[in-house]
């Protein structure tokens, strides 16, 4: 190999940031440029993810939140157990699973949502930069305070199931979003519903298949 080329290759490797996986996830990113930056860690001993983030909301025509995700194609199922840290500032802080068309803040998405007060819903944005509407763009669970959230993609259909601790799995709802396309982002997220604070969630039993 040309010695000059080798030298430039070494410099490139040193100066180029290397993306390190976090557990089974490829990437972590703050979506929508929230005022307070988030973080994601993985403890291999307890197999626990800790996700911290801020952001005004995941709603209207743009979102602000922290996202830990993989790029995926085809049919798949996402499953995990969620436990909030602390009482929280806003009862509408959000966490769960999200399938998203891109990291753009107005991207198409469909999300399994667990709020800080226990409210559980399936929410979506059907087109790029389109305004999300209440209640037209969400399906509410009959119960609340679930622990296990499961989001499945089957063709163009997104199916949300959830279970309370020690309880049976319930189907919350399903929605078709053809505009998501073949290749999508899929992963865990957190939003504080208040741009001035951060919130944290512990996530265990994370499975993607």
């Amino acid at each position: 190999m040309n010695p000059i080329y080798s030298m430039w290759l070494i410099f490139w490797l040193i100066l180029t940031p290397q993306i390190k996986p976090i557990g089974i996830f490829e990437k972590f990113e703050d979506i929508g440029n929230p005022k307070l930056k988030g973080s994601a860690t993985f403890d291999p001993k307890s197999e626990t993810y800790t996700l911290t983030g801020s952001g005004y909301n995941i709603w209207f025509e743009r979102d602000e939140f922290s996202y830990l995700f993989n790029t995926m194609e085809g049919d798949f199922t996402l499953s995990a157990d969620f436990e909030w840290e602390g009482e929280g500032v806003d009862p509408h802080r959000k966490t769960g699973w999200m399938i998203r068309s891109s990291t753009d803040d107005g991207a198409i998405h469909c999300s399994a949502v667990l709020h800080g007060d226990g409210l559980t819903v399936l929410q979506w944005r059907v087109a790029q930069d389109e305004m999300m509407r209440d209640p037209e763009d969400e399906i509410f669970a009959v119960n609340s305070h679930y622990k296990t959230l499961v989001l499945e993609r089957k063709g163009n259909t997104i199916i949300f199931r959830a279970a309370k601790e020690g309880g049976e799995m319930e189907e919350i709802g399903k929605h078709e979003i053809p505009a998501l396309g073949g290749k999508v982002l899929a992963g865990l997220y957190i939003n504080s519903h208040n741009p001035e604070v951060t919130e944290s969630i512990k996530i265990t039993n994370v499975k993607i298949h």
Side-chain angles (χ1 to χ4, degrees), residues 33-181:
N33 193 30
K35 180 179 179 180
L36 303 177
K37 302 306 180 185
S39 64
T41 61
F42 177 66
D43 181 353
K45 291 183 179 179
S46 63
E47 297 187 336
T48 300
Y49 294 85
T50 301
L51 205 56
T52 298
S54 183
Y56 92 97
N57 203 352
I58 301 171
W59 200 247
F60 301 119
E61 78 284 2
R62 61 175 300 273
D63 308 321
E64 288 181 3
F65 65 99
S66 295
Y67 196 27
L68 182 62
F69 60 92
N70 289 333
T71 300
M72 301 185 69
E73 290 185 272
D75 296 345
F76 53 82
T77 302
L78 316 167
S79 178
D81 294 341
F82 296 78
E83 184 176 351
W84 286 107
E85 288 197 299
E87 294 297 320
V89 175
D90 194 301
H92 291 292
R93 57 184 175 163
K94 300 177 178 181
T95 190
W97 288 107
M98 179 184 293
I99 301 172
R100 194 173 183 89
S101 62
S102 75
T103 57
D104 187 271
D105 63 0
I108 300 163
H109 74 85
C110 194
S111 304
V113 185
L114 175 65
H115 291 79
D117 62 359
L119 177 68
T120 307
V121 295
L122 180 68
Q123 297 180 332
W124 57 82
R125 178 182 291 114
V126 297
Q128 177 72 33
D129 301 322
E130 183 170 302
M131 185 79 71
M132 293 174 66
R133 304 160 300 160
D134 185 1
E136 293 89 347
D137 295 329
E138 52 194 341
I139 298 173
F140 292 83
V142 175
N143 297 307
S144 63
H145 296 283
Y146 293 91
K147 184 176 183 65
T148 305
L149 306 182
V150 177
L151 196 62
E152 178 184 0
R153 182 185 187 185
K154 196 171 184 179
N156 292 325
T157 303
I158 310 299
I159 307 161
F160 180 24
R161 301 180 181 90
K164 294 188 177 184
E165 188 167 9
E168 295 184 358
M169 194 65 64
E170 306 169 28
E171 184 172 307
I172 307 303
K174 61 179 68 173
H175 189 71
E176 288 198 19
I177 309 186
L180 269 172

Side-chain angles (χ1 to χ4, degrees), residues 20-31:
K20 295 182 179 180
I22 300 174
I24 62 173
F25 294 95
E26 301 164 355
K27 192 172 182 183
F28 172 82
E29 188 170 334
D30 287 310
I31 306 298

